[in-house]
């Protein structure tokens, strides 16, 4: 069965430090992979997506993610975190089942940024 | 305004009442989805629709009903609300074609069942 695992429920980093949020997926075919960010009380905003090609993808707000097929991972990174990055981050895989395309989400990682 | 809008933003209802959450999108996206977001569970798919008059169950459909008579609208109805349905509900849409597999989400409806 398809699934997405975000092993870190909470992460705390200091402002200016680097960040890596982990995401592992389980899917038999080549996945479509996404990272979304949700600020408190808000909807989800797309940070970046991977469909094919270059395994390092750039997104908005200075985020990037690397697809590693051998590890079934799609980790999100940022070299220098800003206080405004405090939010919840969701990894998702797009799958085709029964002729329909839909997402499976991880349970999220809540990021706290220390001043 | 173009986009995807959900209404109401907040709703308190009593156990046993019927309540409908509205979702409207202006892009004519084929695909629309309803998710619920609960602490520790992330987002779970309730129902989805690939086109007008085509709907299907997701991961947690029990207690919910959907319809899609028009492409732009995808209402979600709780036929007899229960406390376990207290949650934040997100609607999303997607064009579903190769270059547009990303979802666009609404701002959510926070539903409290008392």
């Amino acid at each position: 069965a398809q699934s997405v695992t975000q092993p870190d429920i909470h992460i705390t980093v200091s402002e200016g430090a680097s960040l890596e949020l982990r995401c592992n997926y389980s899917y038999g075919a080549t996945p479509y992979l996404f990272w979304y960010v949700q600020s408190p009380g808000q909807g989800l905003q797309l940070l970046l997506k991977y469909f094919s090609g270059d395994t390092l993808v750039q997104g908005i707000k200075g985020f990037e993610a690397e697809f590693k097929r051998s590890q079934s991972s799609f980790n999100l990174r940022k070299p220098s975190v800003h206080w405004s990055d405090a939010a919840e981050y969701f990894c998702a895989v797009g799958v085709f089942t029964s002729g329909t395309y839909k997402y499976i989400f991880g349970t999220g990682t809540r990021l706290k940024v220390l001043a | 305004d173009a986009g995807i809008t959900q209404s109401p933003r907040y709703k308190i209802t009593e156990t046993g009442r019927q309540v409908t959450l509205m979702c409207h999108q202006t892009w004519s996206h084929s695909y629309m989805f309803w998710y619920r977001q609960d602490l520790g569970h992330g987002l779970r798919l309730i129902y989805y629709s690939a086109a007008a008059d085509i709907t299907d169950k997701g991961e947690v459909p029990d207690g919910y009903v959907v319809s899609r008579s028009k492409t732009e609208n995808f209402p979600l109805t709780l036929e007899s609300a229960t406390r376990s349905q207290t949650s934040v509900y997100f609607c999303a849409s997607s064009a579903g074609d190769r270059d547009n597999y990303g979802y666009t989400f609404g701002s959510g409806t926070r539903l409290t069942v008392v």
Side-chain angles (χ1 to χ4, degrees):
Chain A
Q2 305 99 347
S3 65
V4 177
T5 302
Q6 294 181 247
D8 303 306
I9 298 174
H10 298 279
I11 282 186
T12 300
V13 300
S14 298
E15 191 170 20
S18 63
L19 172 70
E20 182 169 35
L21 303 183
R22 296 182 291 166
C23 173
N24 293 95
Y25 67 90
S26 173
Y27 184 50
T30 300
Y32 297 133
L33 295 161
F34 306 84
W35 274 99
Y36 281 83
V37 60
Q38 183 182 30
S39 298
Q42 302 298 312
L44 281 79
Q45 181 183 20
L46 179 66
L47 281 176
L48 47 78
K49 59 188 176 185
Y50 171 79
F51 291 159
S52 64
D54 192 346
T55 57
L56 184 65
V57 294
Q58 303 297 319
I60 62 171
K61 304 186 179 186
F63 286 92
E64 66 178 25
E66 186 172 12
F67 170 58
K68 293 185 177 180
R69 184 186 300 276
S70 61
Q71 298 177 19
S72 297
S73 68
F74 189 55
N75 294 348
L76 182 71
R77 300 195 293 248
K78 188 170 185 177
S80 179
V81 170
H82 188 263
W83 64 266
S84 61
D85 294 324
E88 188 153 22
Y89 292 80
F90 291 94
C91 181
V93 59
V95 301
F96 285 93
T97 59
S98 304
T100 299
Y101 170 81
K102 52 184 180 284
Y103 277 9
I104 297 172
F105 282 90
T107 53
T109 298
R110 187 170 296 276
L111 174 65
K112 182 177 179 180
V113 180
L114 302 176
Chain B
D1 289 340
I4 183 165
T5 56
Q6 292 184 237
S7 61
R9 282 298 306 272
Y10 303 92
K11 177 74 176 177
I12 300 174
T13 192
E14 295 178 337
T15 300
R17 296 264 190 177
Q18 182 182 80
V19 60
T20 296
L21 311 183
M22 304 301 294
C23 179
H24 174 79
Q25 51 106 352
T26 59
W27 293 296
S28 298
H29 282 170
S30 296
Y31 292 88
M32 296 188 75
F33 307 83
W34 275 107
Y35 287 86
R36 58 177 292 173
Q37 183 179 26
D38 304 288
L39 197 62
H41 291 280
L43 285 90
R44 293 181 290 175
L45 182 64
I46 304 170
Y47 268 96
Y48 62 97
S49 168
D53 297 322
I54 301 175
T55 63
D56 207 345
K57 296 178 181 179
E59 183 184 354
V60 288
D62 293 343
Y64 302 95
V65 174
V66 293
S67 62
R68 194 158 176 217
S69 57
K70 293 183 178 181
T71 299
E72 61 267 29
N73 296 324
F74 192 39
L76 176 73
T77 298
L78 288 67
E79 294 186 297
S80 178
T82 65
R83 289 195 178 91
S84 65
Q85 292 177 310
T86 292
S87 186
V88 180
Y89 291 85
F90 286 99
C91 178
S93 71
S94 169
D97 59 82
R98 173 60 179 84
D99 294 323
N100 290 288
Y101 281 135
Y103 284 12
T104 302
F105 284 86
S107 299
T109 294
R110 183 176 294 276
L111 176 68
T112 303
V113 183
V114 298

